[in-house]
């Protein structure tokens, strides 16, 4: 009993220094799991919420935590969304890119998150057009309001089967258009009325080709006419030259006269 009692007595509780060391290690391991980008604030809410609003960012941060579920990038100075920017963020549900200066979105920009994403906000930017396959296999609800959209075929193709946010859908309007009469109107209302910008595009292309062919034909015709007239002038000059030469009958008479003299 005495030996057992001495053994139990030899077990000492961990010191404060040991507990602090373990706590620091755990915190370090936790931070390593999602290293927060510079100038951003990260919190863990059943996944990482990355808050980068109003940080004067010109580019989307690199090396975002792979467990990011919410990414807030509104009110910055971002101008472009490159392809494969969010490829590793397979859990991303909400992406807010509103109130930036975005002018272009590359094809494949949302590759890797099209299945998981639930809401995407691109409102209040400088977008006028989108590549046809920008939102391929997209299921998210999208806000595109308050952008200077140019209404034509590629925009129509990009919006096909896209879930626009119902609260802001009427604010997605044509700032410019291939048909001037639709400027200022809501894009969806124009498309719902039966207008097909792609058909208009094809007609415009056909007219341009017809004009080009007509110009080419006119140039060829003008060249042929010039060529014929030029040849006719040469032929006329040649005939005049031949007429100016002494005739063969006159030459033969002179020859006969000279023969008789001799």
């Amino acid at each position: 009993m005495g030996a057992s009692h001495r053994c139990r007595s030899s077990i000492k509780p961990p010191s404060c220094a040991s507990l602090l060391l373990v706590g620091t290690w755990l915190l370090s391991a936790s931070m390593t799991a999602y290293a927060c980008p510079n100038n951003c604030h990260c919190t863990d809410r059943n996944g990482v919420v990355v808050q980068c609003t109003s940080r004067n960012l010109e580019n989307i941060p690199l090396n975002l935590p792979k467990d990011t579920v919410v990414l807030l990038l509104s009110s910055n100075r971002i101008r472009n969304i490159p392809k494969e920017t969010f490829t590793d963020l397979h859990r991303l549900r909400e992406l807010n890119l509103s109130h930036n200066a975005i002018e272009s979105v590359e094809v494949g920009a949302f590759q890797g998150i099209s299945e998981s994403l639930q809401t995407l906000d691109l409102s209040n930017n400088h977008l006028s057009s989108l590549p046809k396959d920008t939102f391929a296999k997209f299921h998210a609800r999208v806000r595109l309001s308050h952008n200077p959209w140019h209404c034509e075929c590629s925009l129509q193709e990009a919006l096909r089967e896209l879930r626009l946010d119902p609260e802001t859908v009427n604010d997605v309007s044509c700032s410019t258009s291939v048909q001037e009469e639709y400027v200022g109107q809501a894009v969806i209302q124009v498309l719902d009325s039966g207008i097909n910008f792609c058909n208009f595009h094809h007609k415009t292309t056909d007219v341009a080709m017809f004009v080009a062919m007509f110009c080419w034909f006119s140039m060829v015709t003008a060249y042929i006419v010039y060529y014929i007239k030029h040849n006719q002038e040469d032929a006329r000059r040649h005939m005049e030259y031949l007429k100016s030469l002494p005739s063969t009958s006159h030459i033969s008479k002179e020859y006969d006269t000279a023969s008789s003299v001799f």
Side-chain angles (χ1 to χ4, degrees):
M1 287 294 292
S4 175
H5 178 72
R6 285 194 301 271
C7 183
R8 286 197 299 268
S9 299
S10 64
I11 301 175
K12 298 179 180 180
S15 65
C16 291
S18 300
L19 292 174
L20 182 61
L21 181 62
V22 172
T24 302
W25 182 84
L26 290 174
L27 180 61
S28 176
S30 176
M31 292 299 293
T32 303
Y34 60 89
C36 195
N38 293 334
N39 300 324
C40 297
H41 177 69
C42 297
T43 55
D44 192 349
R45 300 177 184 175
N46 196 24
V48 182
V49 176
V50 182
Q51 168 67 265
C52 303
T53 302
S54 302
R55 304 300 169 93
N56 290 320
L57 299 176
E58 296 183 356
N59 298 292
I60 296 172
L62 301 175
N63 300 319
L64 290 161
K66 292 185 178 182
D67 290 337
T68 300
V69 293
V70 176
L71 179 56
L72 307 176
L73 290 164
S74 61
S75 301
N76 284 291
R77 296 186 294 171
I78 299 170
R79 300 175 62 90
N80 176 52
I81 306 178
K83 64 179 181 180
E84 300 180 356
T85 300
F86 311 104
T87 305
D88 296 327
L89 307 183
H90 301 296
R91 295 184 58 191
L92 189 63
R93 298 194 303 266
E94 179 182 344
L95 176 58
N96 191 335
L97 287 159
S98 63
H99 294 90
N100 275 278
I102 299 172
E103 298 176 341
S104 62
V105 179
E106 297 182 11
V107 175
F110 304 111
Q111 182 178 337
I113 62 172
S114 58
E115 297 289 337
S116 63
L117 199 65
Q118 297 176 5
T119 59
L120 170 64
D121 195 342
L122 286 169
S123 62
N124 293 279
N125 279 285
H126 299 165
L127 290 166
S128 60
S129 63
L130 290 168
K132 177 181 176 181
D133 298 323
T134 302
F135 301 112
K137 300 179 181 179
F138 227 66
H139 304 292
R141 180 177 294 179
V142 183
R143 290 191 174 192
L144 297 174
S145 56
H146 302 295
N147 281 281
W149 295 112
H150 176 63
C151 291
E152 40 77 46
C153 183
S154 64
L155 180 63
Q156 176 179 316
E157 292 295 315
L159 296 182
R160 180 180 294 176
E161 300 179 1
L162 188 65
R163 291 180 56 204
L164 290 177
D165 177 56
E167 296 180 2
T168 60
V169 65
N170 290 326
D171 294 323
V172 183
S173 58
C174 302
S175 292
T176 57
S177 174
V178 291
Q179 292 176 282
E180 193 69 23
E181 61 200 88
Y182 300 115
V183 173
Q185 297 188 32
V187 178
I188 296 302
Q189 292 179 2
V190 173
L191 296 178
D192 286 346
S193 69
I195 298 300
N196 190 329
F197 291 115
C198 294
N199 284 346
F200 181 78
H201 173 74
H202 294 321
K203 290 179 181 178
T204 304
T205 304
D206 292 342
V207 171
M209 290 181 63
F210 175 78
V211 171
M213 291 180 65
F214 177 78
C215 293
W216 178 84
F217 179 76
S218 300
M219 292 175 62
V220 171
T221 303
Y223 174 77
I224 292 173
V225 171
Y226 169 78
Y227 179 79
I228 292 173
K229 286 185 177 180
H230 184 72
N231 284 349
Q232 286 179 343
E233 183 66 20
D234 287 345
R236 185 184 64 79
R237 291 175 180 173
H238 185 65
M239 290 299 295
E240 290 179 352
Y241 171 75
L242 292 176
K243 288 179 181 179
S244 67
L245 295 175
S247 62
T248 55
S249 61
H250 180 69
I251 294 173
S252 59
K253 286 181 180 179
E254 291 181 349
Y255 177 76
D256 292 339
T257 303
S259 300
S260 62
V261 171
F262 290 105

